[in-house]
Amino acid sequence: MGTFVFDEQCQRGHHSCTLHHGSSGTYLPVKGPSLMATVTFDKATRLYPGGDRPAVDSLDLDIADGEFLVLVGPSGCGKSTSLRMLAGLEDINGGKIWIGDRDVTNVQPKDRDIAMVFQSYALYPHMTVADNMGFALKIAKVDKSEIRKRVEEAGKILDLTQYLDRKPKALSGGQRQRVAMGRAIVRNPKVFCMDEPLSNLDAKLRVQTRTQIAALQRRLGTTTVYVTHDQVEALTMGDRICVLKDGILQQVGTPRDMYDSPANVFVAGFIGSPAMNLRTFQVGDGHAKVGTVDVTLSREATAALAAEGAKDVVLGFRPESLEPASPNSPSAIPLEVDMIEELGSDAFVFGRVPVSHGGSGIDPVTSADSEIVARIDPRDVPKKGDVVWFSIREGNQHVFSTKTGKRLITTPVTTSASPA
Amino acid sequence: MPPLQITGSANANLLGLPWEIPLEHWPTEHIAALPRGISRHVVRFVKLDGRVIAVKETNPSIAHREFTLLKEIQHLGAPSVTPLAVVTGRVSPEGEVLEAALVTEHLQFSLPYRALFSQALREETVTRFLDALAVLLVRLHLIGFYWGDVSLSNALFRRDATEFAAYVVDAETGDIHPELTVGQRDYDLELARTNIVGELFDLEAQGRLDEALDPIDLADRLVARYEELWKALTKSATFTSNIPLEVANRVRELNDMGFDVGELDMRKTDDGNALVIRPKIVDAGHHARRLMRLTGLDVQENQARRLLNDLDEYKAFQANPEDDEGYVAHEWLLQVFEPAVRAVPREFRKKLEPAQVFHELLEHRWYLAQGAGHDVPMAVATASYVKHILPARPDEQSVLGVSLAEMTAELPALTAEIEARGNVDEAFVGDNTHGWGSIGEPEPETKEVTRRSTVVPPPARPKIGDREV
């Protein structure tokens, strides 16, 4: 079943666990034949009553046993709806959802053997840490010694063993958050569902906690579906990332896939910070041109564009893919500096192609502002108003169709900032 | 750095509060001593223009979201606290950025469950306010509000005749949908069950729950009560004959439960021989609305029911049967309700809402009549109530007398800031620990009841410039 189980003989890969139907209607793991906790969205669709377009449209997604999958996308993309469909909080108007080999499409939330993990729980001040973690099992009529066993195991994993018999008062903020996690862990769910669990933490604690959650998930090996709007969170936490937009799956892959081979213009612009530069150029003779800017295209790009019969192209290049170039050298792009952002180890220059070189306002295809961002050496920083020249590093061009927005080359573009 | 910004409230005096200080450290002069529930954020009650407001620190997006949700809940007619404003752009004099704040109006005469439980409660009382929570949850689900964190802590309770009425106080985990799915209702109920069991276990650990009470049974009761009410309000019924009568009966049945039928869905069965009737929109507050229409009194549902009974009795025995109902109601208000309520000495008036006082007066009058074997005039009952019952009544006053510190102890928010401040143990120090505001001590038994003038002074007029309006 691939979830975390507290029986030491019960190890991943050859579990001896099954479920019995608890008196409260909750499924509780007990020993028995194994079950895989994969999650499958099979053309799952959610259409809200009165809506003209599905909030989630025929989502096909296979999540592996023990995987940490992050659903990410802008507000309204359908990521939370997808998670709530899995949790049983949204009706499914088309397709199916499976957990392991069980079709849960029409199963009530409490019977799905999932745990929603909240951003914060109230801890009960007069109960011990152990009772705070285990009390919900009492409702499910789990045996006292079994509760204690599970709580102790969870305490070990969460590094709370010495606090189990103390009151929450004795704990630090971080430890309290772990108690809250413990409450979900002792239930031995097959899947953890987390909907923006870090959204009410401040920036510093958010970074700490995301590392902890990711590490904890890896120790538990419980299949986890995690929703966030923050692509940095997605890149740092997920085994795989699934990007959604307007209810439609854009791409699913490892953080590296998403960064190095974005499947379309949307994913390219969404993943990475600062965002990838995306500009529309006219195509001619193996070159991409705007005004006086003239960039030589790679052979693969030229071939793909020729096959499409394209007259223009969306070129993408990440801030770290730009390197300083001499003024007016071939393929060089001039930037008039608007702003410099210095981050200590890095500096970024934000600028525009000067009007004298054919720069303009909003890009017609990507609807992005025509601003271009380049990473520069923090020891050699230009001033606002200066014109500096860059060229795109060899092999660092992302090439997209202006008609479909799709990626036209297959070679990944690896940069110094690509996720490991 | 954006400057301090207050969104929502038209009250300029909000600007006078020390927003540049973390809420936890606000000077006591601003702090009102009122009981609080368990909260994951820093929440304090603050004095403003002779009123009390609740201030909760949280991040700006949550504050704005919750503000909008509470507004919407109110707009859709379910009971919740009233949101006043969101304060953002708070910066300390040292330039440290402070959390945003959500400001809500304090719900008068309301109590968090910990205050209700500060003495061992009888089972009936416990079940009554679990019932109140069940009613609240049904009402919220009817308007499409998914709470996401139903618990006793996230509600406030007010006495409502012999029952309690519950209000949403923390909506930050919620969502409004056009209509809830079965899964959403089911899950909300499951959360309610888990949270309530946790809260009751906690009271048990504190020795505040009668040993005979089983938290799990109590939580199951809430679930059963919810299911029962939901079914009664939304079930379809099939009729083949006497349709108008059956429809009228169904409407009356819902009225008796305190609901008005806004829309009724009627459709023929497939074979065309019967009619299926299902209430589509039901609004709580049937009696409250009727009383409001007749008298202008804005009270809670069960109080309204009680007052309407008395009004009906007045109409039957004292009024001219020819008179219009609205006229009789006005007469009843002037001759029965207002004199009784005004007879309560000023120092006791903060103990209970007027409508609750009137309800208790009626109860007391009934007991007196039982003892005497004949009817007791309202004036006599009122005098007796004010002298014997009100001062000694085990009400909020004595509940609050127990240990305010204990009752208002809360775990601070699970955030780094709190951890960094390093005083997690005594988050309530300097707050709410010195008594229940301005409520006076009960008068000694021997003191004569003094009747106040029945003339109500005109309300203070607002000033514009130098002249009165």
Side-chain angles (χ1 to χ4, degrees):
Chain A
M1 81 184 234
T3 60
F4 174 72
V5 271
F6 291 98
D7 188 322
E8 280 165 17
Q9 293 165 328
C10 232
Q11 290 168 0
R12 281 194 70 183
H14 42 89
H15 295 304
S16 52
C17 293
T18 184
L19 306 168
H20 89 90
H21 196 240
S23 59
S24 64
T26 9
Y27 281 87
L28 300 166
V30 294
K31 287 185 184 180
S34 79
L35 281 171
M36 293 288 286
T38 56
V39 171
T40 307
F41 288 80
D42 176 11
K43 305 232 173 323
T45 299
R46 172 60 170 151
L47 178 66
Y48 285 113
D52 48 358
R53 173 176 76 71
V56 174
D57 197 350
S58 303
L59 178 61
D60 274 319
L61 183 60
D62 281 307
I63 302 167
D65 183 28
E67 187 176 18
F68 194 120
L69 184 108
V70 181
L71 295 171
V72 67
S75 154
C77 71
K79 57 190 187 295
S80 287
T81 307
S82 304
L83 185 79
R84 294 201 301 257
M85 286 160 81
L86 169 60
L89 299 177
E90 294 285 357
D91 291 342
I92 293 156
N93 306 103
K96 288 190 179 312
I97 293 183
W98 298 74
I99 296 176
D101 49 11
R102 182 164 171 241
D103 177 357
V104 297
T105 312
N106 296 309
V107 174
Q108 285 307 302
K110 64 173 184 295
D111 300 330
R112 290 194 181 197
D113 202 12
I114 52 152
M116 286 285 262
V117 178
F118 291 103
Q119 45 194 3
S120 55
Y121 289 87
L123 295 188
Y124 302 114
H126 304 96
M127 281 155 61
T128 62
V129 168
D131 285 343
N132 264 287
M133 272 158 58
F135 79 90
L137 296 178
K138 278 195 202 168
I139 309 176
K141 308 276 190 273
V142 177
D143 189 66
K144 257 192 184 159
S145 59
E146 171 69 16
I147 296 178
R148 185 69 198 184
K149 198 171 95 188
R150 290 202 212 169
V151 165
E152 277 175 9
E153 291 287 355
K156 215 180 284 171
I157 287 202
L158 297 163
D159 233 350
L160 291 168
T161 302
Q162 62 198 27
Y163 296 101
L164 285 182
D165 295 311
R166 301 182 64 181
K167 302 283 165 65
K169 219 176 168 179
L171 304 184
S172 70
Q175 288 167 329
R176 286 175 192 193
Q177 210 146 31
R178 298 215 292 276
V179 177
M181 273 300 288
R183 213 177 267 180
I185 292 172
V186 296
R187 291 176 47 206
N188 292 4
K190 281 204 274 189
V191 182
F192 283 131
C193 294
M194 306 193 189
D195 193 353
E196 305 256 9
L198 308 180
S199 61
N200 74 359
L201 303 182
D202 68 52
K204 189 171 143 239
L205 195 62
R206 196 154 56 222
V207 172
Q208 270 173 25
T209 314
R210 84 179 178 218
T211 318
Q212 280 174 9
I213 291 181
L216 181 65
Q217 192 273 343
R218 262 130 217 157
R219 283 166 85 180
L220 293 168
T222 306
T223 311
T224 300
V225 184
Y226 185 103
V227 165
T228 180
H229 65 279
D230 180 347
Q231 52 86 27
V232 177
E233 217 165 282
L235 286 172
T236 50
M237 294 180 85
D239 291 326
R240 282 192 307 155
I241 299 171
C242 168
V243 176
L244 292 164
K245 182 191 170 231
D246 299 334
I248 296 169
L249 188 145
Q250 302 294 310
Q251 186 176 3
V252 56
T254 62
R256 178 111 191 204
D257 293 339
M258 309 308 272
Y259 197 85
D260 292 355
S261 312
N264 58 38
V265 169
F266 176 77
V267 177
F270 187 76
I271 298 283
S273 175
M276 184 190 288
N277 300 295
L278 290 160
R279 303 298 311 276
T280 304
F281 291 79
Q282 284 152 357
V283 179
D285 203 16
H287 289 254
K289 297 174 193 169
V290 164
T292 64
V293 180
D294 183 334
V295 179
T296 311
L297 289 167
S298 71
R299 197 171 296 169
E300 189 188 4
T302 309
L305 288 164
E308 220 200 19
K311 292 204 172 61
D312 35 32
V313 64
V314 175
L315 271 194
F317 42 98
R318 297 206 177 270
E320 69 271 19
S321 293
L322 289 170
E323 58 188 351
S326 334
N328 298 308
S329 58
S331 287
I333 304 171
L335 279 192
E336 188 176 326
V337 178
D338 286 339
M339 191 185 84
I340 306 283
E341 192 175 81
E342 293 191 73
L343 303 172
S345 59
D346 276 324
F348 291 94
V349 46
F350 294 75
R352 283 157 212 281
V353 176
V355 179
S356 56
H357 290 78
S360 60
I362 301 295
D363 188 284
V365 174
T366 60
S367 1
D369 185 359
S370 61
E371 189 165 69
I372 288 178
V373 187
R375 190 170 78 185
I376 53 168
D377 184 343
R379 287 162 303 184
D380 183 13
V381 172
K383 288 192 298 291
K384 189 175 170 194
D386 286 356
V387 174
V388 281
W389 292 73
F390 293 97
S391 59
I392 303 170
R393 281 179 213 276
E394 180 76 29
N396 275 200
Q397 293 170 4
H398 295 263
V399 183
F400 302 97
S401 159
T402 52
K403 284 195 207 102
T404 61
K406 286 191 178 144
R407 181 179 188 80
L408 292 175
I409 55 171
T410 52
T411 321
V413 175
T414 304
T415 74
S416 56
S418 292
Chain B
M1 179 97 26
L4 185 74
Q5 192 182 352
I6 299 185
T7 321
S9 172
N11 189 337
N13 291 339
L14 273 177
L15 276 168
L17 293 171
W19 296 113
E20 70 286 359
I21 303 173
L23 183 55
E24 203 185 11
H25 300 307
W26 277 20
T28 42
E29 73 207 58
H30 292 291
I31 299 300
L34 291 174
R36 300 176 294 184
I38 303 179
S39 171
R40 59 192 142 223
H41 304 285
V42 178
V43 181
R44 299 186 82 179
F45 291 101
V46 171
K47 289 182 241 171
L48 181 75
D49 304 339
R51 289 186 304 168
V52 176
I53 56 171
V55 181
K56 165 165 118 174
E57 277 184 345
T58 181
N59 80 34
S61 63
I62 291 181
H64 279 294
R65 204 183 112 78
E66 190 171 2
F67 180 83
T68 314
L69 272 175
L70 287 170
K71 275 257 182 248
E72 249 177 293
I73 294 174
Q74 287 214 318
H75 179 69
L76 293 169
S80 77
V81 294
T82 305
L84 286 179
V86 173
V87 184
T88 51
R90 295 173 61 202
V91 182
S92 75
E94 293 76 38
E96 188 199 351
V97 177
L98 303 179
E99 281 201 288
L102 173 70
V103 183
T104 54
E105 204 154 331
H106 173 252
L107 189 64
Q108 275 197 307
F109 300 104
S110 68
L111 292 167
Y113 80 102
R114 284 196 173 256
L116 292 168
F117 268 110
S118 59
Q119 53 190 16
L121 291 179
R122 287 176 306 156
E123 184 168 357
E124 299 94 85
T125 318
V126 180
T127 54
R128 269 182 201 143
F129 80 83
L130 288 175
D131 284 356
L133 195 63
V135 172
L136 175 64
L137 195 55
V138 167
R139 290 185 63 180
L140 291 170
H141 284 177
L142 283 171
I143 63 163
F145 181 73
Y146 165 75
W147 198 339
D149 196 11
V150 190
S151 68
L152 296 172
S153 311
N154 287 340
L156 280 174
F157 297 86
R158 260 166 130 176
R159 291 178 199 284
D160 179 12
T162 55
E163 308 291 315
F164 288 104
Y167 293 73
V168 177
V169 60
D170 187 325
E172 72 172 57
T173 49
D175 256 327
I176 290 192
H177 301 263
E179 196 175 333
L180 292 188
T181 64
V182 177
Q184 281 160 337
R185 292 196 301 108
D186 180 79
Y187 190 61
D188 234 5
L189 207 53
E190 184 62 17
L191 286 174
R193 191 160 169 264
T194 310
N195 285 340
I196 288 164
V197 168
E199 287 166 326
L200 295 177
F201 275 147
D202 192 53
L203 287 168
E204 197 175 63
Q206 204 188 351
R208 289 276 164 83
L209 190 71
D210 190 328
E211 280 172 21
L213 298 178
D214 176 5
I216 296 174
D217 288 349
L218 289 170
D220 285 346
R221 187 193 146 91
L222 169 110
V223 173
R225 177 88 183 101
Y226 170 94
E227 305 276 16
E228 189 183 282
L229 191 56
W230 181 266
K231 208 174 142 201
L233 289 173
T234 57
K235 73 176 174 203
S236 335
T238 311
F239 303 113
T240 49
S241 59
N242 266 343
I243 310 284
L245 178 69
E246 298 291 1
V247 171
N249 283 344
R250 189 69 214 279
V251 170
R252 184 163 339 119
E253 187 193 336
L254 290 169
N255 285 169
D256 289 345
M257 293 167 70
F259 288 82
D260 282 326
V261 181
E263 267 178 49
L264 207 58
D265 213 22
M266 288 195 249
R267 61 185 167 77
K268 279 198 169 148
T269 49
D270 290 342
D271 59 10
N273 291 330
L275 205 60
V276 181
I277 298 171
R278 189 179 67 92
K280 205 170 157 204
I281 298 176
V282 288
D283 299 311
H286 170 73
H287 299 98
R289 264 196 295 276
R290 183 170 162 231
L291 186 74
M292 173 71 129
R293 199 176 62 236
L294 288 171
T295 64
L297 289 175
D298 186 7
V299 308
Q300 298 168 89
E301 181 64 12
N302 291 305
Q303 292 167 344
R305 200 187 291 245
R306 195 66 207 269
L307 266 53
L308 284 168
N309 281 345
D310 193 62
L311 170 59
D312 288 342
E313 212 174 289
Y314 179 83
K315 195 162 73 185
F317 295 110
Q318 318 231 349
N320 183 347
E322 308 281 291
D323 282 344
D324 169 72
E325 190 184 39
Y327 180 78
V328 176
H330 183 67
E331 213 175 64
W332 170 84
L333 194 65
L334 289 180
Q335 296 187 3
V336 182
F337 181 79
E338 289 188 349
V341 169
R342 277 203 217 105
V344 173
R346 195 168 297 274
E347 59 268 33
F348 292 153
R349 285 188 190 167
K350 283 189 176 173
K351 275 191 164 189
L352 290 173
E353 287 175 282
Q356 188 67 17
V357 165
F358 191 77
H359 155 74
E360 296 203 346
L361 269 171
L362 292 176
E363 294 273 275
H364 185 61
R365 185 183 173 194
W366 185 84
Y367 280 113
L368 290 180
Q370 289 286 306
H374 56 79
D375 189 26
V376 174
M378 196 63 179
V380 174
T382 305
S384 165
Y385 172 79
V386 170
K387 181 170 179 185
H388 301 292
I389 304 295
L390 197 53
R393 191 179 166 286
D395 66 355
E396 283 80 345
Q397 170 77 33
S398 59
V399 169
L400 293 168
V402 177
S403 163
L404 203 57
E406 183 76 14
M407 197 159 58
T408 58
E410 71 170 45
L411 287 170
L414 297 172
T415 63
E417 300 93 315
I418 300 289
E419 200 175 345
R421 285 179 212 142
N423 54 353
V424 288
D425 290 354
E426 300 297 340
F428 52 87
V429 152
D431 180 13
N432 300 0
T433 49
H434 48 274
W436 168 260
S438 53
I439 290 182
E441 290 296 312
E443 285 182 62
E445 277 289 318
T446 51
K447 194 175 170 189
E448 282 299 306
V449 173
T450 45
R451 243 194 105 120
R452 305 268 164 185
S453 160
T454 54
V455 180
V456 183
R461 284 162 184 264
K463 276 193 173 178
I464 294 182
D466 293 331
R467 81 190 159 84
E468 288 196 344
V469 184

